[in-house]
Amino acid sequence: QVQLVESGGGSVQAGGSLSLSCVASGAAFGSACIAWFRQTSEKEREGVAAIYSGGDSSYYADSVKGRFTISQDNTKTTVYLQMNSLKPEDTAMYYCALELYCDDDVWSRPGHFGYWGQGTQVTVSS
């Protein structure tokens, strides 16, 4: 049973930084795509960033390019999301998700991913 556990959320003032972690367990991943999504009560779940170890590729939403960086450790079971220059509009529940594959067409689609974590809250105050 695949499990994803997020950590690192919290509250920060605008302009600050936070680093989120997502640890995947429960299966042997030769390669996998792990993505970060976020959701608020007013907006649908949206893709923030993704990293695919099979193609050594990473993807970002336009709204976070240049501010967020996604990376993974050497075991490829932990994915990090470094968030800099945070804005109040970045406030959301952040979820990590896993699927065996992703590309530029599907990485931001919540329906593509079969495994999800419980989420971690990020709050950015102005």
Side-chain angles (χ1 to χ4, degrees):
Q1 181 73 16
V2 174
Q3 288 188 317
L4 302 172
V5 179
E6 304 99 332
S7 62
S11 297
V12 66
Q13 288 191 326
S17 299
L18 283 173
S19 181
L20 306 183
S21 299
C22 172
V23 179
S25 63
F29 305 110
S31 64
C33 177
I34 298 180
W36 286 97
F37 288 80
R38 63 188 181 188
Q39 187 172 16
T40 68
S41 58
E42 292 87 21
K43 293 183 179 180
E44 294 183 350
R45 194 167 293 193
E46 64 171 352
V48 175
I51 190 164
Y52 175 45
S53 59
D56 197 24
S57 303
S58 57
Y59 309 96
Y60 294 93
D62 289 342
S63 59
V64 306
K65 281 181 181 176
R67 300 189 298 123
F68 291 12
T69 302
I70 192 168
S71 62
Q72 63 187 169
D73 69 352
N74 291 335
T75 68
K76 303 189 189 303
T77 58
T78 301
V79 169
Y80 307 97
L81 186 67
Q82 178 65 41
M83 305 185 295
N84 299 328
S85 302
L86 283 161
K87 305 175 181 180
E89 51 264 43
D90 295 318
T91 295
M93 183 71 79
Y94 283 70
Y95 299 89
C96 68
L98 182 147
E99 194 46 74
L100 294 180
Y101 167 82
C102 66
D103 60 23
D104 195 44
D105 287 332
V106 300
W107 76 267
S108 61
R109 301 181 188 178
H112 174 72
F113 291 85
Y115 303 97
W116 291 85
Q118 295 299 307
T120 185
Q121 178 68 36
V122 171
T123 303
V124 184
S125 57
S126 57

